[in-house]
Amino acid sequence: MFRLSFRYLLGFALIVVNVGLAAVIGTFAYRAAQDAIVDQALESVSLVAESRARELTDVLTRRQRRLESFLGSLESLCGERNARGDFGFEEQCLRSAVGGLHRSELALTTNLSTRERLLVHQGRAGPIQAPSPAQLARIDGVAGTGHYAMRATRANLDVDVLLDLEDLNAIFLDRAGLEGNGEAFLTSAAGYRLTAAPFATPTAFPVQMTPIAACLSGSTEATVTTDYRGIKVISGLRPSAVIGGGCIVANVQYDDATKPVERLGRLLAYASALIGLAGGLVSMIIAGALTSPIKRLAIAARALGGGDFDAPVPVGGPSEVRQLGVTLSHMAASIRELVRQERRARQDAETASRMKDDFLATLSHELRTPLNAILGWASILTRTDRNRARVMHAVGVIERNARVQSQMIEELLDVSRIAAGRVRLSLSSVSVRASIDAACESVRPAADARSVSLEKHVEVDTVRADPRRLQQILWNLLSNAVRFTPPGGTVTVSARAARDGVEIVVADTGSGIAPEFLPHVFDRFRQGDSSTTRAHGGLGLGLAIVRDLLGLHKGTVRAESAGEGKGTTFTVWLPERGNGAVDHPDAALDPQEPPRLAGATVLVVDDDTDARDVMRTILEDAGANVVTSGSAAETRELLRETRPDLLIADIGMPEEDGYSLIQSIRGLDTDVSHLPAIALTAHTRPEDVELALRAGFQIHMAKPIDSVRLVASVASLFETAH
């Protein structure tokens, strides 16, 4: 079916309707044009009146400045001091100066005075009514024969000048913007014309114009009125406060302003009479055809605007209307989808915000709990040292809780490193049995304390993995299983070959996992119970770290639970088996007697006094002779006096750090440049380790201090150097 394009249909309708309604439109157009012309004329005369007011102000301002400049020059020209040192003015000089001012300004009268007396008078006799401080001039006279007075003051001198109104006529005789028969003039505060007019009219009476009174009261509204001759004019008004309350009037004759619209009115009247009847009939027919589909679209648009995005959108009518309907329908579908996405995003943001708040509350609790024990027992130790059993118990509690805090900090750092992609694996063939044994031994004290038994079943020899990270994975899974297993329960860890790799399973008979939480068990900062009454501690990071570390190994981990109270099973899969031989034996060795450092002199550098005291105590207990320093500069002074066997330096120190210190030592020309050195620092990232070794340290050790490892490292370097 052929459908006329909406463009042509609308064009045809507009032609017919415009012709049919020409009479009505012509009338309104004529009136609108007339109103526009009048409005334009009103604006124009307002601008003219404003410009004349501005010119008047400029003229008076320039005169005022010249008067002030005149006063400013009098002191240097005519000032003198008498024999007693009093300052005064030479009379003849003043009269000459006033005569010059009188000629240059064409003043009728000039008075120069101090605050106490009249100094000089020139011109017509009689006082001058000077303007008030808020005015530039004051009118004195009516009917174009008056004068205006100005005053300038400087220090103790006043000058009053009476000037002829003829000086201001040029401003108002300017024809710019006033059409052929317009005029502009200035009135006094009483309504008298003060400046000359282009028409031969009397000026010795108040100007008879209704808006003048409003202008004298401060109004600036332009209006259509009759002037003093009874002629209809468009009048612009501006109050002139600078002359003491007068008014500036700018008039344009109404007939001059509206001439262009008269011919348009006649043409519109003829056209309207000829085609008005035919246009009215056709426009009614076309209007229905045009507005019906648009009205339906408007109803649908209102429904969409009210939030009903499922409301149907009609797509009938001319082609453009159909296209508009289709576009509106697609827009409604897009908005509907955006609203749904926004709601989901808002829900996700609210969930993330709740998770953040829960995690911060958990972090605060988990950090404060061991800190409470540490500070509490430290306070007890400061008050007693007699009960050795109590002291040993306190030391054990402090050490255990400090390690708990250290572990939490390591978990947070691990999450940050993994998220930033800064964790690097060192893959090798690792003994599965040795790794499981070491992990079980590390959690055995906690298991024994809870009466939880540990069982192991290992059916595979080696796996290709990072030994330290594999140990961390197993420790996290086992400690998690022990924590959630009630007394008398069992935790079983088994390893077997599976899918060309190795599968390690950690199963417990503990509290299990609720089905709704099971999909989120590996999410960061998520815990099944984050309330204040939860039975188990932790930050909720251990399982997330396990998942991320296995992802780096290209392995997987999954959690299974039959429900709350029915235990949990974690299954780890690593994709590569080992080659049967362990490349790097497990570093966890049985505790041995720590080495002795007798005969070794160690220089300890740290800006923190407590840190220096701790290292001094550890090393002296091992038999070393310890020298301490609080800065890099002090260290260099000590090296000139002593020859230590080994240097232990902090990295982060004020003014000069440990990197700069070791580099300066390595650059010396003496034997001290080969001094063995250990970096002991809280900067523990892999790049920090690499930076320390490049700077010149042989060993990088992380704070907090492990006394056994510290002594062993010192002994190793000491033996190597000797």
Side-chain angles (χ1 to χ4, degrees), residues 411-478:
E411 286 183 353
L412 288 170
L413 291 176
D414 277 341
V415 168
S416 175
R417 293 183 191 119
I418 292 170
R422 293 197 300 265
V423 174
R424 299 185 182 91
L425 299 181
S426 179
L427 299 177
S428 62
S429 186
V430 182
S431 170
V432 177
R433 184 179 299 278
S435 297
I436 291 176
D437 288 345
C440 287
E441 290 306 313
S442 64
V443 301
R444 190 172 298 281
D448 292 342
R450 294 178 58 84
S451 300
V452 173
S453 62
L454 296 174
E455 297 182 0
K456 298 177 287 186
H457 304 284
V458 181
E459 302 174 1
V460 66
D461 294 330
T462 58
V463 66
R464 185 163 180 77
D466 184 310
R468 189 170 71 87
R469 294 303 183 180
L470 177 59
Q471 190 85 359
Q472 186 178 3
I473 291 169
L474 294 173
W475 183 88
N476 276 335
L477 291 176
L478 284 170

Side-chain angles (χ1 to χ4, degrees), residues 332-652:
S334 299
I335 294 175
R336 182 166 56 248
E337 183 59 28
L338 287 174
V339 169
R340 291 172 181 170
Q341 292 177 2
E342 186 274 335
R343 289 172 180 169
R344 287 196 297 268
R346 185 170 63 249
Q347 292 172 354
D348 292 343
E350 291 172 352
T351 301
S353 179
R354 286 194 302 270
M355 287 174 58
K356 179 196 70 174
D357 293 341
D358 291 345
F359 170 70
L360 290 176
T362 300
L363 177 61
S364 175
H365 174 270
E366 293 299 322
L367 289 176
R368 290 174 184 272
T369 298
L371 187 61
N372 178 66
I374 292 171
L375 293 178
W377 278 106
S379 176
I380 292 170
L381 288 179
T382 61
R383 298 194 300 270
T384 178
D385 60 356
R386 298 180 181 178
N387 189 333
R388 180 170 178 77
R390 174 178 286 185
V391 171
M392 295 303 294
H393 175 71
V395 170
V397 171
I398 290 173
E399 182 178 5
R400 182 170 61 254
N401 283 277
R403 292 187 182 279
V404 169
Q405 276 200 332
S406 178
Q407 180 60 36
M408 282 190 285
I409 293 171
E410 283 299 322
E411 286 183 353
L412 288 170
L413 291 176
D414 277 341
V415 168
S416 175
R417 293 183 191 119
I418 292 170
R422 293 197 300 265
V423 174
R424 299 185 182 91
L425 299 181
S426 179
L427 299 177
S428 62
S429 186
V430 182
S431 170
V432 177
R433 184 179 299 278
S435 297
I436 291 176
D437 288 345
C440 287
E441 290 306 313
S442 64
V443 301
R444 190 172 298 281
D448 292 342
R450 294 178 58 84
S451 300
V452 173
S453 62
L454 296 174
E455 297 182 0
K456 298 177 287 186
H457 304 284
V458 181
E459 302 174 1
V460 66
D461 294 330
T462 58
V463 66
R464 185 163 180 77
D466 184 310
R468 189 170 71 87
R469 294 303 183 180
L470 177 59
Q471 190 85 359
Q472 186 178 3
I473 291 169
L474 294 173
W475 183 88
N476 276 335
L477 291 176
L478 284 170
S479 61
N480 186 73
V482 169
R483 184 188 308 148
F484 288 96
T485 299
T490 302
V491 174
T492 303
V493 55
S494 58
R496 60 179 179 269
R499 293 183 290 163
D500 298 328
V502 174
E503 190 174 79
I504 301 174
V505 179
V506 177
D508 63 65
T509 59
S511 56
I513 302 173
E516 62 273 13
F517 184 72
L518 195 59
H520 307 290
V521 72
F522 294 105
D523 292 351
R524 294 171 184 163
F525 312 129
R526 289 289 290 266
Q527 292 180 305
D529 181 9
S530 59
S531 67
T532 57
T533 59
R534 62 186 187 144
H536 308 286
L539 298 178
L541 295 176
L543 294 179
I545 292 173
V546 167
R547 178 202 59 193
D548 293 339
L549 290 178
L550 283 168
L552 293 175
H553 282 85
K554 296 182 174 54
T556 60
V557 62
R558 69 177 186 274
E560 298 172 305
S561 177
E564 296 187 38
K566 297 182 181 180
T568 306
T569 299
F570 289 93
T571 302
V572 170
W573 178 75
L574 292 164
E576 296 185 59
R577 299 184 194 177
N579 55 17
V582 177
D583 294 339
H584 301 285
D586 189 79
L589 302 175
D590 294 333
Q592 298 177 354
E593 182 69 21
R596 302 296 298 170
L597 301 176
T601 299
V602 181
L603 175 56
V604 175
V605 184
D606 200 307
D607 62 302
D608 184 76
T609 303
D610 293 337
R612 294 198 302 271
D613 290 344
V614 168
M615 287 189 284
R616 175 192 288 276
T617 302
I618 292 172
L619 295 173
E620 286 182 345
D621 287 348
N625 178 34
V626 180
V627 180
T628 62
S629 169
S631 68
E634 183 183 353
T635 300
R636 280 190 285 270
E637 290 294 331
L638 288 173
L639 288 175
R640 294 190 185 99
E641 302 170 1
T642 63
R643 288 294 183 267
D645 298 302
L646 187 133
L647 172 71
I648 300 177
D650 187 21
I651 295 298

